[in-house]
């Protein structure tokens, strides 16, 4: 019985350390991104952060318009009310090598449901992936039960984002043409 109790305590401690570490790592990453991507363009539903010289202000404004369009569509389709709390933070990288140094990924776009943030690249724009990643960021508040600050079902969040933007493949084909 004592062995079972010790095993349970060790297991719970490990889960807590993992969850706290995961949340700490995510927040430290976003602090770093904010420090590097200091220029800001704001629209009603999003704040776009980018690096001067790597992304032009005109490009950031154009992408902000696309982000705002998709977020409005997502909110309308899901029946969500927009508020300052629901605002999405977008980290827009102009240089893929710089993005890889900061995030560990060169071409992958990332939507963070835990933090209502996405990481995208101007070099890969336009992309059918934008709406998909925005759905990830929006769905964090309702898309899955949470366990220690982490999604209990990451597969459910991915399935929801994929189903929501069901026309991704045909959109991707149109972008390439």
């Amino acid at each position: 019985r004592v062995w079972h109790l010790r095993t349970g305590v060790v297991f719970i401690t490990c889960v807590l350390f993992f969850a706290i570490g995961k949340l700490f790592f995510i927040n430290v990453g976003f602090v770093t991104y904010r420090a590097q991507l200091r220029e800001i363009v704001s629209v009603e539903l999003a704040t776009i952060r980018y690096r001067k010289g790597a992304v032009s202000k005109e490009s950031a404004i154009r992408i902000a318009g696309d982000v705002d369009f998709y977020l409005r569509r997502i909110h309308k389709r899901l029946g969500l009310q927009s508020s300052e709390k629901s605002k999405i933070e977008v980290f827009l990288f102009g240089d893929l090598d710089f993005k890889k140094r900061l995030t560990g990924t060169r071409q992958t776009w990332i939507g963070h449901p835990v933090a209502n943030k996405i990481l995208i690249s101007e070099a890969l724009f336009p992309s059918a992936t934008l709406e998909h990643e925005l759905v990830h960021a929006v769905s964090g508040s309702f898309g899955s039960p949470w366990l220690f600050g982490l999604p209990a079902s990451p597969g459910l969040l991915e399935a929801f984002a994929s189903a929501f933007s069901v026309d991704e493949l045909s959109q991707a084909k149109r972008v390439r043409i």
Side-chain angles (χ1 to χ4, degrees):
R1 293 180 77 139
V2 173
W3 181 83
H4 291 293
L5 180 62
R6 285 183 187 160
T7 304
V9 169
V10 168
F11 175 75
I12 290 171
T13 303
C14 288
V15 167
L16 286 173
F17 275 122
F18 173 77
I20 291 167
K22 187 78 170 166
L23 291 174
F24 177 73
F25 172 74
I26 287 172
N27 288 332
V28 167
F30 292 136
V31 169
T32 302
Y33 306 155
R34 282 187 203 103
Q36 295 294 321
L37 307 173
R38 294 183 180 174
E39 301 299 314
I40 294 174
V41 172
S42 288
V43 290
E44 183 183 346
L45 299 175
T47 300
I48 288 69
R49 294 180 168 277
Y50 66 99
R51 192 168 82 168
K52 192 175 188 175
V55 175
S56 71
K57 184 167 186 158
E58 294 77 23
S59 184
I61 291 170
R62 180 179 47 81
I63 291 170
D66 287 356
V67 167
D68 197 53
F69 167 79
Y70 282 120
L71 284 171
R72 286 176 190 277
R73 186 161 95 169
I74 291 165
H75 280 240
K76 182 178 179 183
R77 286 175 71 187
L78 295 175
L80 300 175
Q81 298 296 320
S82 57
S83 68
E84 192 63 31
K85 185 180 155 189
S86 67
K87 203 166 188 176
I88 302 297
E89 189 170 19
V90 178
F91 297 97
L92 174 61
F93 294 89
D95 177 355
L96 294 176
D97 292 327
F98 179 72
K99 181 180 178 288
K100 180 167 175 64
R101 276 196 314 276
L102 252 56
T103 69
T105 66
R106 192 171 191 278
Q107 295 185 347
T108 304
W109 287 16
I110 302 168
H112 288 280
V114 175
N116 290 12
K117 298 173 186 355
I118 66 169
L119 287 72
I120 63 175
S121 306
E122 179 192 31
L124 302 175
F125 212 86
S127 173
T129 308
L130 178 60
E131 184 177 30
H132 178 92
E133 299 306 334
L134 288 168
V135 170
H136 278 305
V138 170
S139 69
S141 62
F142 65 86
S144 176
W146 296 93
L147 181 64
F148 301 114
L150 300 170
S153 178
L156 181 61
L157 289 175
E158 185 58 38
F160 177 73
S162 295
F164 189 88
S165 44
V166 97
D167 197 25
E168 287 180 21
L169 184 58
S170 61
Q171 286 177 4
K173 286 179 183 174
R174 276 183 277 179
V175 168
R176 289 188 189 131
I177 294 175

